[in-house]
């Protein structure tokens, strides 16, 4: 009997006591409305989190991430990059460009001519970059890299009009000290022969843009860049010696040109009502000009370029960029050096004085003619 009564008493007490104590907290929370507002804490919250994640994957992340990637692409595509190969061959049997480039003595001279001609074609020293020069007899093949579309367009125009070919022939002629260097050129981008489509400039640009550079700049090119500066200094010294020798040879024979010799295009010239004997520019003239012409060296260069093809506008601008760090003296010095190298015996004091006078540099002209001392010249 005790077993029968004890069992229901315990289970009834458990039944009424335990649920009531468990229900009381719920009935206490429900009136506040907090539970109703949030709902069951577990499953619904996880479901909401999943929905947010799914929504972010479906929309915001691709849009935001894609937008950022597009901006980066736009930034990285700002430097328009393309590549092409320039094939060069001399039609003169005695001038073999690959052999000259393979020669340790001639290589710097050939590289200088290439560098200056390419700068002329784009109007900038950095308009086109040489990555490597390949020797494949009978061709010299220059791998080019363009970083701006407008530079590439200028290059194509110069190539199409024959200006690049003429410029390179002139620079090779000066660098190699030969009478003439006739050239044949061909331009390729990948498998495309651009010479066949030069009239379609946009198509050429597209072909070059498709061909990305497959290499970094060759170490030899970097070394030649440094060698180029040394070469210019070396040529400057040689040129000064040559001018001095020429002046010493001409000085005892002043009566000879007055008889109508064709060695000098102008025997005498007039400056400020006085007559002066014309002569070849000397190293002293060269240094005084570089020291005193100051910021007007480019204007004087443009006056000289009227009768000197080696000083066309892109060349003058290239000199300004190339020797910007060295300052005005070196820029002016290199300008007159280019004039002397190009014109030879025709680089006379009369032509320089006329250019100075045209630009209002009368004081410098007087200094070169020895009309007053250095103290009077500012």
């Amino acid at each position: 009997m005790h077993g029968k009564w004890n069992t229901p008493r315990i289970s009834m007490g458990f039944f009424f006591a335990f649920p009531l104590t468990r229900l009381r907290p719920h009935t206490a929370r429900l009136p506040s409305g907090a539970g109703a507002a949030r709902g069951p804490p577990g499953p619904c919250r996880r479901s909401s989190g999943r929905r947010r994640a799914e929504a972010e994957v479906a929309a915001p992340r691709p849009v935001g991430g894609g937008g950022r990637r597009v901006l980066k692409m736009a930034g990285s595509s700002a430097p328009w990059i393309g590549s092409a190969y320039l094939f060069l061959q001399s039609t003169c049997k005695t001038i073999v460009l690959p052999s000259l480039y393979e020669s340790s003595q001639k290589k710097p001279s050939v590289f200088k001519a290439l560098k200056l001609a390419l700068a002329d074609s784009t109007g900038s020293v950095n308009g086109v970059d040489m990555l490597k020069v390949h020797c494949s007899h009978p061709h010299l093949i220059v791998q080019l890299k363009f970083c701006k579309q407008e530079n590439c367009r200028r290059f194509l125009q110069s190539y199409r009009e024959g200006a690049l070919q003429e410029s390179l022939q002139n620079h090779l002629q000066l660098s190699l000290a030969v009478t003439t260097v006739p050239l044949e050129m061909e331009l390729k981008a990948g498998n495309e022969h651009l010479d066949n489509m030069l009239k379609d400039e946009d198509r050429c640009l597209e072909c070059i843009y498709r061909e990305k550079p497959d290499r970094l700049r060759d170490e030899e090119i970097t070394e030649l860049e440094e060698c180029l500066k040394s070469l210019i200094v070396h040529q400057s010294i040689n040129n000064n010696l040559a001018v001095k020798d020429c002046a010493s040879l001409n000085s005892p024979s002043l009566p000879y040109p007055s008889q109508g010799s064709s060695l000098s295009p102008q025997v005498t010239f007039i400056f400020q009502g006085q007559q002066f004997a014309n002569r070849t520019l000397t190293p002293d003239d060269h240094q005084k000009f570089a020291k005193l012409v100051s910021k007007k060296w480019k204007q004087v260069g443009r006056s000289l370029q009227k009768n000197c093809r080696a000083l066309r506008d892109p060349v003058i601008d290239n000199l300004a960029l190339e020797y910007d760090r060295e300052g005005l003296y070196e820029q002016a010095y290199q300008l007159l050096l280019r004039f002397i190298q190009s014109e030879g015996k025709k680089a006379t004091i009369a032509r320089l004085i006329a250019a100075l006078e045209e630009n209002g540099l009368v004081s410098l002209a007087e200094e070169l003619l020895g009309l007053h001392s250095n103290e009077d010249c500012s």
Side-chain angles (χ1 to χ4, degrees):
M1 291 296 292
H2 284 287
K4 290 182 180 178
W5 282 104
N6 287 337
T7 303
R9 207 176 276 157
I10 291 170
S11 57
M12 288 296 289
F14 180 81
F15 176 80
F16 286 108
F18 181 75
L20 286 174
T21 56
R22 198 175 171 195
L23 285 173
R24 279 195 190 99
H26 275 278
T27 56
R29 288 195 192 102
L30 287 173
S32 66
R38 284 185 295 182
C44 289
R45 194 168 295 171
R46 286 195 296 269
S47 175
S48 174
R50 280 198 299 270
R51 283 198 296 272
R52 275 199 304 273
E54 290 169 359
E56 287 174 0
V57 170
R61 283 185 183 173
V63 172
R68 285 191 293 272
R69 284 195 295 270
V70 168
L71 288 174
K72 287 181 181 178
M73 287 175 64
S76 64
S77 63
W80 187 94
I81 297 176
S83 179
Y85 287 88
L86 182 63
F87 289 73
L88 305 171
Q89 180 182 358
S90 172
T91 56
C92 179
K93 293 181 179 180
T94 59
I95 300 176
V96 184
L97 292 178
S99 299
L100 291 173
Y101 194 80
E102 287 170 344
S103 166
S104 58
Q105 294 180 344
K106 297 294 184 180
K107 179 179 289 187
S109 299
V110 177
F111 177 81
K112 177 188 175 184
L114 289 170
K115 183 75 176 177
L116 294 176
L118 290 172
D120 290 346
S121 70
T122 59
S124 170
V125 176
N126 301 317
V128 55
D129 192 17
M130 283 188 283
L131 298 182
K132 187 172 178 61
V133 178
H134 305 267
C135 295
S136 178
H137 292 263
H139 293 100
L140 195 67
I141 307 172
V142 186
Q143 187 175 0
L144 305 174
K145 175 186 175 183
F146 300 91
C147 291
K148 288 185 179 180
Q149 184 175 353
E150 54 268 30
N151 288 336
C152 187
R153 191 181 295 275
R154 290 193 200 103
F155 171 84
L156 287 171
Q157 291 170 354
S158 177
Y159 181 85
R160 182 179 64 245
E161 295 167 0
L164 174 61
Q165 182 177 7
E166 182 181 355
S167 176
L168 183 54
Q169 288 176 163
N170 291 336
H171 285 303
L172 285 171
Q173 179 181 342
L174 290 171
S175 297
L176 300 174
V178 294
T179 55
T180 182
V181 185
L183 291 176
E184 286 184 352
M185 290 185 170
E186 188 177 0
L187 189 62
K188 294 182 180 180
N191 295 325
E192 298 290 346
H193 294 256
L194 301 185
D195 296 73
N196 300 330
M197 58 179 83
L198 287 175
K199 293 182 179 180
D200 192 347
E201 197 171 275
D202 290 334
R203 186 182 172 193
C204 290
L205 287 169
E206 183 183 348
C207 292
I208 293 174
Y209 179 71
R210 277 202 309 263
E211 295 298 320
K212 303 301 181 187
D214 59 354
R215 64 179 302 119
L216 296 175
R217 196 183 203 194
D218 196 76
E219 291 182 3
E220 183 185 53
I221 300 296
T222 305
E223 293 173 1
L224 286 168
E225 290 275 6
E226 296 300 322
C227 183
L228 179 57
K229 295 180 181 179
S230 301
L231 179 65
I232 290 174
V233 173
H234 178 70
Q235 286 183 340
S236 174
I237 295 171
N238 288 344
N239 183 74
N240 289 343
L241 293 174
V243 170
K244 185 180 292 185
D245 292 341
C246 182
S248 63
L249 288 172
N250 289 340
S251 56
S253 58
L254 285 175
Y256 180 70
S258 64
Q259 298 173 3
S261 171
S262 59
L263 290 177
S264 177
Q266 185 180 357
V267 178
T268 61
F269 65 97
I270 304 296
F271 175 71
Q272 292 185 339
Q274 299 182 49
Q275 189 173 24
F276 294 88
N278 197 10
R279 56 176 172 79
T280 306
L281 290 172
T282 66
D284 188 49
D285 297 329
H286 199 164
Q287 292 176 3
K288 283 183 179 179
F289 171 81
K291 181 180 178 181
L292 302 174
V293 71
S294 189
K295 295 181 179 180
K296 285 195 172 183
W297 69 272
K298 291 178 76 173
Q299 289 92 313
V300 175
R302 292 192 174 97
S303 296
L304 291 172
Q305 78 178 176
K306 295 174 183 176
N307 298 310
C308 178
R309 298 178 66 184
L311 294 180
R312 289 178 299 179
D313 253 346
V315 175
I316 296 174
D317 292 335
N318 291 343
L319 289 174
L321 291 171
E322 187 173 354
Y323 297 97
D324 181 53
R325 292 185 180 180
E326 286 81 355
L328 293 172
Y329 176 89
E330 190 62 28
Q331 290 171 330
Y333 189 91
Q334 293 298 329
L335 170 79
L336 200 59
L337 177 62
R338 183 69 64 86
F339 175 69
I340 292 171
Q341 287 177 333
S342 172
E343 298 298 297
K345 293 180 181 180
K346 294 181 181 179
T348 61
I349 188 67
R351 293 175 67 179
L352 181 57
I353 293 298
L356 294 173
E357 196 172 10
E358 183 178 332
N359 291 280
L361 297 171
V362 176
S363 181
L364 175 53
E366 292 174 347
E367 176 65 26
L368 293 175
L369 293 172
L371 298 182
H372 56 68
S373 61
N374 288 334
E375 290 83 34
D376 298 330
C377 187
S378 57

